[in-house]
């Protein structure tokens, strides 16, 4: 049998996948990775292996990288795994040997193998031989942790090809995806809920947003005009499949344990209401987690809502009755949040009851909402802080602490005060720093006024001393510690101050870039310490191109506007990145224009 014509083929696959029937999501948040993959596929390069957790966007990145290129695409499925060379069936003759398959595919200029961990052993051996031979450029995607043939495992470790490991997409980079999926901007608590339920899995995020949108569950909030989702998760077939590990649990004792957790997590150990043997089996299957304080939670955030959504009315009533008073649980969460603030540590805390109240559209006590708003503000999550404050004000209009948090958040976002005088009321219950405290002077560049008032051994006093000495290296260390403790906005400001204090241009660029990267995560923060453009170090052409890139234009769009080649634009950007000390396109808006 004669072999098929290989090189003209594009996207040869075994069959269409469900997600291919949907409109593609916007490509966002992976611009630098895209450039790296494209460079790896240039002439004379061997290719690249792209790895990452399930749903992180490996296929979307690879598909974008080969857009417009002549390539052969192979997409194995679990069904093709049982057939030798099953994944390559569309591009190879029947009854082919490994030697002949290698010879036939050696003439292909570019081979894209998606989800290579699903390859059969013969196909995996073929891919390994092609990688070793080096005549065919390879673009291979593999899921981290998924069972794979030994030949693919060697590829995944970077043994035969360069490896690009993708981290989950940053939260701020998912905003364009959410807006595209739902038709506009979302309430911050809704966006946070969607991201939390999906835990970085973009495919699950797409399934969930589609379910919410199609069920008509998005409503507009009167205070902001943003659309919000309150209420249960819609149990669509796609989401039921995602939660099959708990919904289809056959053992009655295990299912009862899962349901009890869904309606009342976290539960303490030992718990007379829980079957300990069932807990052991569920823990072995990674369906529950036992924390250091001997409390038990469901392992995946989607499982609880899906178990609640699929419980019958009578079962839900019985299980809800087993839950203790919510006020006690909220008091426990409030105490934990305040304790973190008092210890100068605002890293992410587990607050399932508060999350549940907002998700279900239940009233949120204003005192709890104010603490949640403060915790989010100190973390630099300004939009979420404002949303929590509004939740409290909707329950208790005029609540002083909620009004104060809303005003402080507006101030850090460079917005008008929504309620003049609100910051005079509702002082915090502990001494952690904010705009009314001594630390505010440090953030505004006047540390001498704060040194006598701040605890001398704390990170905030160290920040004040480093700034008073204009010690760039010490400011860098303080900024790193602030970031580790969760104070992202304060860390960004400290890095910005370090950039001005450094005499070494390289150290200054590094600090400025770190400030920009952190400020980008602070949801629209605009503070005096973050002001100041960084374009003075660039050539005129670099400034022009970087400004357009910061505005969101792609390299191709910039090339068309400036009548340049795409390669020339890329070269100018590469040189600008080197001077600015960054390799992340998403930091450019902060480096180009940070308002005073």
């Amino acid at each position: 049998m004669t072999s098929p014509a290989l090189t003209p083929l594009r996207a040869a696959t075994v069959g269409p996948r469900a997600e291919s029937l949907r409109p593609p999501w916007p490509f966002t948040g992976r611009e630098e990775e895209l450039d790296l993959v494209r460079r790896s596929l240039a002439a004379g390069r061997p290719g690249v292996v792209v790895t990452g957790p399930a749903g992180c966007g490996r296929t979307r990145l690879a598909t974008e990288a080969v857009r417009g290129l002549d390539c052969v695409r192979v997409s194995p499925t679990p069904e093709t795994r049982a057939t030798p060379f099953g994944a390559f069936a569309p591009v190879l003759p029947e009854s082919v040997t490994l030697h002949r398959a290698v010879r036939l595919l050696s003439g292909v200029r570019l081979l894209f193998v998606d989800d290579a961990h699903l390859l059969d052993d013969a196909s995996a051996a073929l891919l390994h031989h092609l990688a070793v031979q080096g005549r065919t450029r390879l673009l291979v995607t593999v899921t981290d942790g998924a069972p794979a043939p030994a030949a693919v495992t060697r590829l995944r470790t970077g043994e035969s090809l360069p490896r690009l490991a993708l981290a989950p997409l940053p939260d701020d980079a998912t905003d364009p995806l959410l807006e595209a999926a739902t038709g506009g901007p979302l309430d911050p608590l809704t966006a946070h809920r969607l991201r939390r339920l999906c835990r970085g899995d973009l495919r699950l995020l797409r399934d969930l947003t589609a379910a919410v949108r199609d069920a008509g569950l998005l409503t507009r909030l009167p205070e902001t005009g943003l659309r919000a989702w309150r209420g249960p998760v819609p149990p669509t077939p796609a989401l039921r499949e995602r939660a099959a590990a708990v919904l289809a649990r056959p053992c009655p004792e295990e299912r009862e344990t899962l349901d009890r957790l869904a309606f009342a997590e976290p539960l303490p150990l030992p718990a007379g209401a829980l079957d300990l043997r069932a807990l052991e089996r569920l823990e072995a299957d990674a369906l529950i987690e036992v924390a250091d304080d001997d409390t038990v939670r469901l392992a995946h955030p989607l499982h609880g809502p899906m178990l609640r959504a699929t419980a019958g009315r009578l079962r839900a009533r019985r299980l809800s009755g087993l839950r203790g008073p919510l006020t006690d649980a909220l008091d426990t969460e409030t105490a934990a949040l305040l304790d973190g603030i008092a210890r100068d540590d605002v890293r992410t805390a587990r607050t399932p009851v508060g999350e549940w109240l907002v998700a279900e559209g239940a009233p949120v006590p204003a005192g709890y909402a104010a603490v949640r708003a403060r915790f989010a503000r100190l973390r630099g999550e300004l939009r979420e802080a404002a949303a929590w404050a509004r939740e409290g004000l909707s329950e208790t209009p005029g609540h002083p602490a909620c009004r104060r948090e809303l005003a402080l958040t507006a101030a850090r976002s460079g917005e008008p005060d929504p309620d003049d005088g609100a910051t005079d009321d509702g002082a915090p219950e502990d001494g952690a720093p904010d705009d009314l405290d001594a630390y505010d002077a440090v953030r505004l560049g006047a540390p001498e006024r704060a040194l006598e008032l701040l605890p001398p051994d704390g990170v905030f006093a160290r920040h004040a001393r480093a700034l008073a000495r204009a010690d760039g290296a010490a400011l860098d260390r303080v900024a790193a510690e602030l970031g580790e403790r969760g104070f992202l906005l304060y860390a960004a400001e400290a890095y910005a101050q370090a950039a001005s204090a450094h005499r070494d241009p390289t150290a200054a660029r590094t600090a400025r870039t770190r400030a920009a990267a952190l400020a980008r995560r602070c949801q629209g923060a605009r503070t005096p310490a973050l002001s100041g453009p960084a374009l003075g170090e660039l050539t005129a052409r670099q400034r022009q191109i970087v400004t357009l890139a910061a505005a969101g234009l792609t390299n191709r769009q910039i090339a068309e506007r400036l009548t340049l080649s795409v390669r020339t634009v890329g070269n100018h950007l590469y040189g600008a990145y080197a001077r600015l000390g960054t390799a992340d396109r998403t930091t450019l808006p902060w480096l180009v224009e940070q308002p005073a």
Side-chain angles (χ1 to χ4, degrees):
M1 182 180 295
T2 59
S3 63
L6 295 177
T7 51
L9 293 179
R10 293 173 185 257
T13 60
V14 173
R17 299 187 178 187
E19 58 262 32
S20 68
L21 303 179
R22 304 173 181 170
W25 278 32
F27 184 79
T28 179
R30 300 282 193 203
E31 288 78 8
E32 301 309 317
E33 292 92 338
L34 177 62
D35 286 344
L36 190 153
V37 172
R38 284 179 170 167
R39 291 198 300 270
S40 299
L41 300 180
R45 301 287 182 88
V48 66
V49 177
V50 181
T51 67
C56 72
R58 298 179 318 279
T59 298
R60 183 70 177 89
L61 170 65
T63 301
E64 192 71 20
V66 300
R67 186 183 302 279
L69 302 178
D70 288 325
C71 75
V72 171
R73 175 171 177 170
V74 174
S75 296
T77 67
E79 292 73 24
T80 64
R81 195 174 229 172
T83 304
F85 299 113
F88 287 87
V91 295
L92 288 177
E94 296 180 5
S95 303
V96 69
T97 65
L98 176 60
H99 177 74
R100 189 179 180 206
V102 171
R103 183 164 53 84
L104 289 172
L105 289 177
S106 295
V108 175
R109 293 182 179 179
L110 175 58
L111 176 63
F112 171 20
V113 182
D114 194 20
D115 287 341
H117 53 281
L118 296 177
L119 288 173
D120 59 274
D121 289 337
S123 296
L126 169 59
L127 183 61
H128 174 71
H129 277 75
L130 292 172
V132 172
Q133 189 182 69
R135 295 178 184 174
T136 300
R137 292 195 299 277
L138 299 175
L139 174 55
V140 182
T141 69
V142 189
T143 298
D144 286 343
V152 173
T153 300
R154 290 195 293 270
L155 283 176
R156 182 162 54 192
T157 60
E159 179 179 316
S160 304
L161 288 174
R163 173 174 173 257
L164 171 62
L166 292 186
L169 201 63
D171 284 353
D172 59 294
T174 64
D175 288 340
L177 303 180
L178 293 175
E179 292 185 16
T182 58
L186 295 175
D187 155 61
L189 297 185
T190 296
H192 172 76
R193 182 186 182 189
L194 288 166
R195 288 190 288 256
R196 180 176 56 82
L197 290 176
C198 298
R199 194 182 276 177
D201 187 332
L202 299 182
R203 291 178 297 183
L204 176 55
L205 184 65
R206 188 165 197 184
D207 288 341
L208 182 56
T209 51
V212 170
R213 180 198 62 217
D214 295 345
L217 301 180
L218 292 171
T219 58
R220 291 200 179 274
L221 295 177
E223 304 91 344
T224 62
L226 298 174
R227 290 175 306 161
W229 168 39
R230 303 288 189 267
V233 171
T236 63
L239 294 180
R240 283 176 178 268
E241 182 179 355
R242 290 285 190 164
V246 292
L247 295 181
R249 200 73 180 181
C251 175
E253 291 81 9
E254 293 176 10
R255 178 60 190 265
E256 174 71 10
T257 299
L258 292 168
D259 281 339
R260 285 174 178 264
L261 287 169
F263 280 85
E265 68 175 333
L267 290 175
L269 285 178
L274 298 179
D275 186 307
L276 292 181
R277 291 188 179 273
L279 285 173
E280 290 173 2
R281 294 192 294 269
L282 293 171
E283 184 183 28
D285 290 342
L287 295 180
I288 64 169
E289 296 175 345
V290 181
D292 292 339
D293 60 355
D294 282 343
T295 56
V296 185
R297 295 179 171 88
L298 295 168
H300 197 287
L302 180 67
H303 288 169
M306 286 301 297
L307 287 165
R308 294 196 297 270
T310 55
R313 182 174 299 178
L314 293 177
R315 187 174 182 81
R317 182 181 300 174
R318 174 177 67 84
L319 293 168
S320 297
L322 299 175
R323 183 174 55 214
L326 289 182
T327 53
D328 294 345
L330 287 177
D331 288 345
T332 299
E333 291 186 3
T334 301
L337 293 171
L338 289 174
D339 179 65
I341 294 173
R343 291 185 292 102
D344 300 334
D345 188 340
V346 292
R347 282 171 280 197
T348 303
R350 296 288 294 265
T351 51
V353 179
E355 305 284 354
W356 181 85
L357 285 177
V358 170
E360 299 295 324
V364 179
Y368 175 84
V371 174
R372 287 299 302 267
R374 185 165 184 235
F375 195 83
R377 173 174 58 82
L378 291 172
R379 286 176 49 80
E381 297 167 343
L382 301 186
R383 297 191 190 103
E384 290 183 25
W388 276 108
R390 292 189 186 97
E391 287 287 325
L393 290 171
S394 67
E395 177 66 12
T396 308
H399 188 272
C402 289
R403 289 169 53 214
R404 177 177 180 275
E405 289 302 325
L406 197 59
L408 290 173
T409 301
R412 294 188 181 182
S413 302
E415 299 173 357
D417 188 337
D419 188 4
D420 261 347
T423 56
D424 295 331
D425 299 317
E429 299 177 8
D430 56 77
D434 57 42
D435 285 8
L436 298 179
D437 297 314
Y439 186 60
D440 190 45
V442 183
R443 298 177 52 239
L444 294 175
E448 296 83 0
R449 294 162 48 188
L451 281 172
E452 296 181 359
L453 301 175
L454 291 169
D457 297 330
V459 63
F460 304 107
R462 290 197 294 277
H463 185 180
R465 288 193 293 270
L467 184 60
R469 300 194 307 267
D471 187 336
L475 285 167
D476 282 339
R477 291 192 295 271
V478 165
E481 182 178 352
L482 288 168
E484 291 172 359
R485 292 171 176 265
F487 295 98
L488 299 190
L489 178 55
Y490 297 160
E493 292 173 331
Y495 273 126
Q497 292 167 340
S500 299
H502 277 300
R503 295 183 179 181
D504 176 29
T506 301
R509 286 195 296 268
T510 300
R512 184 166 51 243
T513 300
R514 290 172 177 168
L518 288 170
R520 177 171 52 87
R521 297 167 57 187
C522 292
Q523 302 180 350
R526 295 291 186 270
T527 68
L530 296 177
S531 64
L535 296 186
E537 301 181 25
L538 305 183
T539 67
R541 178 64 87 181
Q542 285 174 337
R543 285 197 298 272
Q544 187 180 33
I545 291 174
V546 164
T547 301
L548 294 173
L553 275 68
T554 65
N555 287 11
R556 186 171 299 279
Q557 291 170 329
I558 296 172
E560 292 172 353
R561 177 171 296 193
L562 301 180
T563 319
L564 299 171
S565 70
V566 176
R567 176 172 294 182
T568 298
V569 170
N571 289 338
H572 279 300
L573 276 175
Y574 183 80
Y577 290 154
R579 293 193 178 197
L580 293 173
T582 183
D584 186 352
R585 194 185 192 100
T586 57
T587 64
L588 291 181
W590 295 96
L591 292 172
V592 170
E593 185 178 2
Q594 299 165 355

